[in-house]
Amino acid sequence: MLTGKALIPVKVIRSFGSWKEGDMILLEDWKARELWESGVVEVLDEVEKVIGEIDKVISEERKSEPLTPIPEGLYERAEFYIYYLERYIRERAGESVEVINTKMAKLTNLKKKYNHLKELRFKKILEAVRLRPGSMEILTRLSPEERRIYLQMSRIRNEWLGER
């Protein structure tokens, strides 16, 4: 789901409003999607950068017992590039085999690492709920999506155990 929480770099390929052809700008993910689909902008491929950020977070999570903070908008950027690559591959299947194969390899790698990160974080969130439900310290380390899970699971845990 594109939320507007992630900024995506794009290059204007067709003048639009005050933007001129060749301008490089950052757009909220949903705007980047709309304008890319309309042929106004070209998405600048930062998949490798996002994969690198995911790798860094995974590495930090493995070294650290408590949850570590993650870069703001990381989940949203990963989801945007998954959407972008899937659509690119589907719509441009007739393009160069090398380009399509490269995009497919990036997509596979991104999905694998993104899912691994989410599984790793989920396990740690469950453990945090078990040991420290509703902790403000834990909440500061979580993304908005993770906060929702943590708070809901904490509430369920406390109800089940009869704690308030």
Side-chain angles (χ1 to χ4, degrees), residues 54 58 78 82 108-122:
I54 290 172
I58 288 171
I82 288 169
T108 301
N109 193 20
L110 176 58
K111 280 183 168 181
K112 179 180 153 200
K113 291 182 185 249
Y114 180 56
N115 288 332
H116 180 67
L117 172 63
K118 287 172 63 175
E119 287 175 21
L120 183 62
R121 298 280 293 181
F122 186 69

Side-chain angles (χ1 to χ4, degrees), residues 15-73:
S15 293
F16 184 78
S18 63
W19 301 332
K20 305 287 182 256
E21 188 176 325
D23 287 351
M24 305 281 215
I25 53 178
L26 290 174
L27 294 175
E28 293 173 317
D29 52 11
W30 68 272
K31 289 178 188 174
R33 183 187 101 195
E34 293 292 323
L35 293 172
W36 177 63
E37 288 175 357
S38 300
V40 173
V41 300
E42 175 184 314
V43 172
L44 299 179
D45 188 340
E46 289 197 340
V47 174
E48 295 299 329
K49 181 180 176 185
V50 172
I51 289 171
E53 288 181 56
I54 290 172
D55 281 339
K56 183 178 177 190
V57 173
I58 288 171
S59 176
E60 289 172 10
E61 285 298 333
R62 285 185 178 146
K63 288 186 242 174
S64 171
E65 185 59 37
L67 287 151
T68 58
I70 65 170
E72 188 174 335

Side-chain angles (χ1 to χ4, degrees), residues 73-87:
L74 179 60
Y75 288 143
E76 291 88 355
R77 283 183 291 125
E79 288 176 10
F80 175 85
Y81 282 109
I82 288 169
Y83 148 80
Y84 163 73
L85 289 170
E86 286 175 343
R87 182 149 182 167

